[in-house]
Amino acid sequence: MSRSVCVRCGGERERHDQVCPSCGHRPEGDGLLVAWLLSTESLSEAELDAVRDRIRAGEVIRPTERMLARARRALGADFASDAGLDTRQRMLVLATSLLLTPLPGLVVGVWWWNDHPRAARQALALSLPASLGFFVLVLWLRSLE
Ligand SMILES: [Zn+2]
């Protein structure tokens, strides 16, 4: 079972992304990184106990940029440099979807699914309606024959 210590009060909970049962602190944004660092996923039980005692003694915990970066990597996609597709990439996906085939958007969507979920969702969101339109177009062209 994992443990996580509340950065605000030193209270304990099971998972780093849970609301603190002692003080109601809810880790959000970069706070989730700090919360992860203050858990057994990042520290040993003994280290976590030591940090908990420091917090309870009133010490403010400020992780270094390097530690935050480590947490960001460990937590993965949600905190990675996954800013999604920029406008040019969106236009490119949309243009290829409409002009050629929605396949590149679908491939990119599936390919990026693990590493860049946000960009992948955007690529799929752009190409799925396009593929639907593509199908309708094909059906319509066939009906003309
Ligand atoms: Zn708390």
Side-chain angles (χ1 to χ4, degrees), residues 93 96-97 101-110 120 123-124 127:
V93 170
T96 42
S97 295
T101 152
L103 211 57
L106 296 177
V107 169
V108 161
V110 172
L124 286 179
S127 41

Side-chain angles (χ1 to χ4, degrees), residues 69-108:
R70 191 162 68 88
R72 212 170 266 132
R73 270 197 307 278
L75 287 173
D78 289 343
F79 288 94
S81 53
D82 183 23
L85 301 178
D86 61 33
T87 310
R88 204 174 54 87
Q89 288 173 317
R90 277 183 219 214
M91 293 312 291
L92 198 66
V93 170
L94 193 61
T96 42
S97 295
L98 292 176
L99 297 176
L100 303 165
T101 152
L103 211 57
L106 296 177
V107 169
V108 161

Side-chain angles (χ1 to χ4, degrees), residues 6 9 20 23 25:
C6 173
C9 73
C20 172
C23 75
H25 173 63

Side-chain angles (χ1 to χ4, degrees), residues 18-53:
Q18 285 173 326
V19 173
C20 172
S22 312
C23 75
H25 173 63
R26 178 194 296 273
E28 280 170 331
D30 278 3
L32 278 169
L33 301 177
V34 179
W36 181 86
L37 285 168
L38 301 183
S39 77
T40 46
E41 300 193 39
S42 152
L43 300 173
S44 70
E45 296 277 344
E47 286 170 326
L48 193 60
D49 285 345
V51 171
R52 181 198 57 205
D53 293 344

